[in-house]
Amino acid sequence: MSSYIIRGGNRLAGEVSVSGSKNAALGIISAAMLLDGPCKIENIPDIADLNVMVEICKALGAQVKRDPDGALTLDPSTITSWEATHDKVRHIRGSYYLLGALLGRFSKASIYMPGGCNFGARPIDQHMKGFEALGATVTIEYGKINVEAQHLHGEHIFLDVVSVGATINIMIAAAKAEGTTVIENAAREPHIVDVANFLNTMGANIRGAGTDVIRITGVQQLPAGATYSIIPDQIEAGTYMLAAALTRGDVTVRNVIPRHMEPLTAKMEEMNISVDTGDDWIRVWMEPERELLAANFKTMPYPGFPTDLQPQTTVLLTTAKGSSKMLENVWENRFQYVDDLKTMGADVMIAGHVAIIAGGSALTGTKVTARDLRAGAAMVLAGLAADGETEVTDINKIERGYENFIKKMRHLGADITRMDS
Ligand code: UD1
């Protein structure tokens, strides 16, 4: 098992460029499986989750080629199978978007139950509700989800829970259904807009993505033949911004969409962190005379504070002046990393969905584990702020979602190395 070894205490400084959004890319590569011709997708990060997704698409029969510049050329016209039963389907969460894509293409689909980070029950009832409304029957048998429709048709769908995955999946399935589908109480995350923009570029008719009502008018053909560039990764950007504040550093994060970062930048300013914003960059730094202030957070669907930045933010709060609260509203079991943080000297108490963080702890290095992707990134951040050496194990979970993590961190001045055993 590989580890990162971090010697804490370095102040991060300089510039870092953010890669393409993992979660947008998962949705877009899946949506591409619905097209009637080839397309090119740029700004795809070279990370494990996406490489797995590409493998699954190839196993379905799609032709996928990675260009030297990292762009993917995909031709789904050679797909012959509606069954995504490659073993790796179980490794990533985003593979469930193939349900929507294959259902839209073949009027039937069958895939293994998807995997992904384990931070509590991850139901898919809202995806099923959507597919059923479009005319499909859904069954779960022998670890596989099967959906089948005589005829996919548009419908009004009200989501009972604001779900990113269900919104994207229904949008993909409805893109070629007959008539108009309206998704109400839709999620509004930037990557939902990105999947909609991708499909529209390829010939779809989707309006309202980014609001809580999305209207999809089905088209008979998605001719494709175009090039699309994926948006920057909001969570990767936020991780470097938080690392800058945590090490009392001065970092400019480039290739970002500052509007997507507002839920974080607003809270950073409340905490006395200096933030400056340009067209596609954000500078984060701490004035030496300023003290980091405690703050209370609630994770919410976009434009609320993202749950995927919760663990990294909690680490920052351990170094603030005063007591902070972190309320986790999205996932039921996303504080598993707190035990590791406590072994590093943090004073954090969990009461149900709330973490109460007593600031001002002096973190010290020890051996900790990456429990999931973002919790793993949080452990690395804790190591940057800790005295002495921190070993973070199980780092394949981190490398699932952060492109060139070590290289970017080292470029900013972090003392971090990868140890393979
Ligand atoms: C996506 C992200 C994940 C992020 C999450 C919330 C991907 C691959 N993953 O996950 O990193 O943490 O959004 O921003 O994009 N729910 C139901 N029924 C459903 C679907 C969801 O009850 O059918 C609940 C979930 O249990 C959870 C909440 O809705 O409490 C949000 O889940 P959802 O937005 O669907 O998350 P994912 O799309 O799985």
Side-chain angles (χ1 to χ4, degrees):
M1 204 194 296
S2 303
S3 310
Y4 290 150
I5 307 291
I6 305 137
R7 277 160 291 270
N10 288 6
R11 188 176 162 269
L12 298 195
E15 294 190 354
V16 62
S17 182
V18 170
S19 302
S21 161
K22 168 180 88 75
N23 289 345
L26 285 166
I28 286 174
I29 293 173
S30 303
M33 297 301 107
L34 185 64
L35 305 179
D36 295 300
C39 70
K40 185 170 172 175
I41 308 172
E42 296 174 339
N43 207 25
I44 299 238
D46 185 7
I47 50 175
D49 269 18
L50 292 173
N51 296 332
V52 166
M53 193 72 208
V54 165
E55 246 187 89
I56 297 169
C57 292
K58 282 183 178 168
L60 286 170
Q63 291 180 40
V64 188
K65 193 167 72 64
R66 204 179 249 278
D67 300 344
D69 62 359
L72 281 185
T73 305
L74 291 105
D75 186 352
S77 55
T78 46
I79 296 183
T80 47
S81 174
W82 56 86
E83 290 181 293
T85 47
H86 189 294
D87 193 46
K88 295 216 167 140
V89 168
R90 302 182 226 242
H91 291 199
I92 56 170
R93 189 75 189 155
S95 55
Y96 60 17
Y97 294 135
L98 288 171
L99 271 178
L102 295 175
L103 179 64
R105 188 175 193 95
F106 295 109
S107 294
K108 58 179 169 179
S110 177
I111 75 161
Y112 279 138
M113 282 295 214
C117 289
N118 175 18
F119 28 67
R122 299 190 74 173
I124 54 162
D125 55 297
Q126 297 304 304
H127 303 236
M128 296 188 187
K129 177 180 173 175
F131 296 146
E132 281 169 348
L134 297 178
T137 46
V138 184
T139 53
I140 298 180
E141 283 172 335
Y142 308 109
K144 281 192 273 181
I145 314 166
N146 311 299
V147 285
E148 184 159 3
Q150 292 289 336
H151 171 66
L152 277 186
H153 56 80
E155 191 53 89
H156 251 80
I157 300 160
F158 189 95
L159 295 180
D160 304 319
V161 209
V162 178
S163 160
V164 175
T167 303
I168 292 180
N169 231 340
I170 298 167
M171 208 164 69
I172 295 173
K176 285 177 88 176
E178 194 184 323
T180 298
T181 300
V182 180
I183 310 175
E184 297 200 49
N185 200 26
R188 292 179 279 170
E189 266 66 7
H191 47 290
I192 291 170
V193 181
D194 214 31
V195 176
N197 286 343
F198 166 77
L199 281 168
N200 284 343
T201 305
M202 302 299 155
N205 184 355
I206 302 173
R207 301 283 169 263
T211 75
D212 58 3
V213 182
I214 303 179
R215 200 172 284 275
I216 306 125
T217 304
V219 293
Q220 284 189 344
Q221 285 279 309
L222 287 169
T227 297
Y228 189 82
S229 187
I230 286 181
I231 53 165
D233 198 300
Q234 180 201 13
I235 306 303
E236 188 199 5
T239 302
Y240 291 115
M241 289 165 66
L242 289 160
L246 177 69
T247 60
R248 311 301 189 256
D250 185 346
V251 170
T252 300
V253 183
R254 294 207 173 268
N255 184 35
V256 288
I257 298 176
R259 193 167 38 83
H260 294 169
M261 304 313 301
E262 277 168 13
L264 176 61
T265 48
K267 293 304 284 186
M268 284 190 140
E269 283 168 346
E270 198 181 308
M271 294 175 74
N272 240 349
I273 300 163
S274 301
V275 180
D276 193 11
T277 297
D279 283 348
D280 64 351
W281 56 265
I282 298 179
R283 179 181 164 211
V284 174
W285 75 105
M286 281 296 294
E287 300 285 356
E289 69 279 5
R290 284 188 152 194
E291 208 165 15
L292 186 76
L293 301 180
N296 296 330
F297 286 75
K298 285 181 190 168
T299 66
M300 306 275 275
Y302 188 82
F305 191 81
T307 174
D308 286 355
L309 287 177
Q310 180 262 98
Q312 304 90 313
T313 305
T314 300
V315 173
L316 176 64
L317 294 172
T318 66
T319 67
K321 180 172 184 265
S323 171
S324 303
K325 287 195 195 106
M326 175 62 79
L327 172 61
E328 173 56 59
N329 268 324
V330 180
W331 298 112
E332 63 186 21
N333 195 14
R334 208 170 187 172
F335 285 126
Q336 295 168 74
Y337 67 90
V338 165
D339 283 343
D340 291 270
L341 204 49
K342 283 176 163 174
T343 66
M344 296 181 75
D347 184 349
V348 184
M349 195 180 88
I350 305 294
H353 287 267
V354 188
I356 300 160
I357 304 128
S361 305
L363 299 180
T364 51
T366 183
K367 187 170 177 174
V368 290
T369 303
R371 307 262 165 188
D372 60 57
L373 167 57
R374 307 305 172 186
M379 288 301 108
V380 172
L381 262 53
L384 295 176
D387 188 44
E389 193 173 283
T390 300
E391 179 179 352
V392 183
T393 63
D394 235 351
I395 56 163
N396 60 316
K397 291 188 180 140
I398 302 174
E399 294 176 352
R400 280 184 37 215
Y402 287 89
E403 187 179 49
N404 293 329
F405 192 50
I406 288 269
K407 197 170 156 196
K408 290 184 184 182
M409 280 290 185
R410 287 168 78 121
H411 178 73
L412 292 174
D415 185 343
I416 177 168
T417 45
R418 193 179 199 281
M419 196 173 68
D420 295 306
S421 58

